[in-house]
């Protein structure tokens, strides 16, 4: 296990050119957004894998939309936390996130790749057109003006992440001198496989044990809101 100070010392020894920040649900936990697989779970007795699928939506679009509307309300009322705010100070960093909550952009991060889409974008199931809808829908499931059902514009289990998104992310991670892996259990594929393309220094920040503990160079077992601000300070000093 690495302390925050040891991670900072390692960063100070780097010929630091590029930084990539890779995040999962844990980076939003301190904003009050439940993670997928922690004890508090996400919703009632359902697992994300049961609801975030095309089959669940085909079977019961109203139930799936009830879940998403519950999350959309939670996220609308949430604020970026100290980790999001610190990451946003890395103006040139690429943020690759599995999260669909949009909190990195709300904190001010300008280069964000959302591997799994965005909970405030919807897609017409007939026309395939997408639009941003931040407010609560008057009725569920919502429909397009053409009459067809709208679905969340997110990648469900069993659906592909667009190849261009994967390729762009691999390209960036292969070239980065520092990769921060923050708040992910490393369970979801192919997102979790991206971390293994890093040839630079990889630092995981997660209070709990994950498979990345054996693949990242350093592991800081702290919450993101505690560890990320001082780590970002060190990165900014090194980039000067
Ligand atoms: C695909 C959008 C192929 C929706 C999401 C068996 C084995 C391996 C793989 C599979 C398998 N069976 C099926 C698969 C593939 C499947 C998969 O990986 N399943 C998992 C469950 C095993 N993957 C897919 O289906 C993907 N598509 O493979 O397509 C294909 C091929 C041909 C044709 C068609 C298709 C698509 C996966 C995308 C799913 N969509 N999200 C929505 O959000 O509603 S994934 C969902 O999980 C979220 O995006 C979330 O971000 C993501 C990953 O989870 P984490 O972010 O890691 O969150 P988690 O709760 O797990 O962990 C949080 C961590 O934070 C914990 O470690 C915790 O300790 C830590 N933490 C807590 N507090 C803090 C903290 N860390 C720091 N600070 C804190 N304060």
């Amino acid at each position: 296990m690495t302390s925050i100070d040891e991670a900072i010392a390692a960063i100070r020894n780097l010929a630091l050119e590029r930084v990539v920040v890779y995040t999962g649900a844990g980076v939003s936990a301190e904003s009050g957004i439940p993670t997928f697989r922690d004890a508090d779970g996400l919703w009632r007795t359902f697992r994300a894998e049961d609801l975030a699928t095309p089959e669940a939506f085909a079977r019961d679009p109203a139930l799936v939309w009830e879940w998403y509307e519950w999350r959309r309300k939670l996220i609308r009322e949430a604020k970026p936390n100290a980790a999001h705010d610190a990451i946003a100070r890395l103006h040139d960093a690429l943020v690759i996130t599995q999260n669909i909550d949009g909190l990195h952009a709300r904190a001010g991060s300008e280069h964000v790749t959302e591997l799994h889409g965005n909970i405030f974008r919807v897609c017409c199931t007939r026309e395939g057109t997408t639009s941003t809808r931040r407010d609560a829908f008057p009725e569920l499931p919502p429909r397009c003006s053409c009459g067809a059902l709208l679905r969340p514009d997110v990648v469900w289990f069993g659906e592909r992440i667009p190849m261009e998104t994967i390729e762009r992310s691999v390209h960036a991670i292969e070239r980065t001198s520092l990769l921060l892996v923050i708040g992910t259990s490393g369970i979801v594929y192919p997102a979790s496989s991206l971390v293994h393309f890093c040839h630079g220094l990889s630092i995981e920040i997660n209070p709990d044990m994950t498979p990345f503990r054996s693949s990242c160079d350093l592991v800081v077992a702290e919450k993101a809101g505690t560890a990320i601000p001082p780590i970002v300070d060190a990165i900014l000093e090194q980039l000067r």
Side-chain angles (χ1 to χ4, degrees):
M1 222 60 62
T2 306
S3 71
I4 295 171
D5 288 343
E6 286 163 333
I8 287 172
I11 289 165
R12 289 198 173 126
N13 277 331
L14 271 184
L16 194 50
E17 286 158 26
R18 292 189 181 90
V19 180
V20 173
V21 181
Y22 173 92
T23 66
V27 79
S28 297
E30 290 159 270
S31 294
I33 314 282
T35 64
F36 282 77
R37 296 167 187 91
D38 279 344
D40 52 11
L42 244 182
W43 195 53
R44 296 189 195 160
T45 56
F46 295 96
R47 296 183 318 140
E49 292 84 346
D50 301 332
L51 287 172
T53 70
E55 295 77 14
F57 186 73
R59 190 172 51 247
D60 191 343
L63 175 68
V64 171
W65 263 113
E66 200 186 330
W67 180 49
Y68 277 96
E69 200 54 37
W70 174 77
R71 290 169 70 191
R72 285 159 51 96
K73 181 174 186 305
L74 210 58
I75 294 164
R76 269 196 299 270
E77 292 166 359
K79 289 187 176 36
N81 63 54
H84 296 110
D85 292 340
I87 291 163
R89 289 192 285 129
L90 298 172
H91 296 297
D92 299 329
L94 173 64
V95 179
I96 298 173
T97 187
Q98 298 172 86
N99 302 341
I100 63 173
D101 58 30
L103 288 180
H104 283 300
R106 273 180 57 193
S109 287
E110 293 151 39
H111 312 289
V112 182
T113 294
E114 294 176 315
L115 296 174
H116 297 147
N118 186 294
I119 202 166
F120 293 111
R121 258 201 328 271
V122 292
C123 178
C124 172
T125 53
R126 177 183 297 150
E127 299 164 331
T129 48
T130 59
S131 58
T132 298
R133 306 284 287 269
R134 296 192 62 80
D135 299 335
F137 290 105
E139 63 175 45
L140 298 178
R143 290 188 177 274
C144 175
S145 51
C146 77
L149 280 174
L150 290 172
R151 58 161 282 178
D153 188 25
V154 300
V155 179
W156 278 329
F157 289 100
E159 294 184 327
R160 285 176 188 279
I161 297 175
M163 191 43 74
E164 192 272 333
T165 303
I166 294 279
E167 286 168 353
R168 195 172 67 238
S169 301
V170 169
H171 182 85
I173 292 176
E174 279 180 331
R175 279 154 187 74
T176 192
S177 33
L178 174 63
L179 175 67
L180 301 182
V181 180
I182 309 169
T184 178
S185 60
I187 289 172
V188 172
Y189 180 84
S192 55
S193 65
L194 297 177
V195 171
H196 305 297
F197 286 93
C198 179
H199 307 303
L201 175 68
S202 56
I203 305 178
E204 179 187 27
I205 295 95
N206 191 325
D208 295 345
M209 173 81 80
T210 77
F212 292 133
R213 199 149 283 194
S214 55
S215 52
C216 284
D217 297 310
L218 303 175
V219 175
V220 176
E222 295 280 358
K223 291 186 173 182
T226 306
I228 298 304
I231 285 174
V232 164
D233 288 341
I235 291 169
L236 289 170
E237 275 169 41
Q238 199 62 7
L239 285 170
R240 257 190 214 114

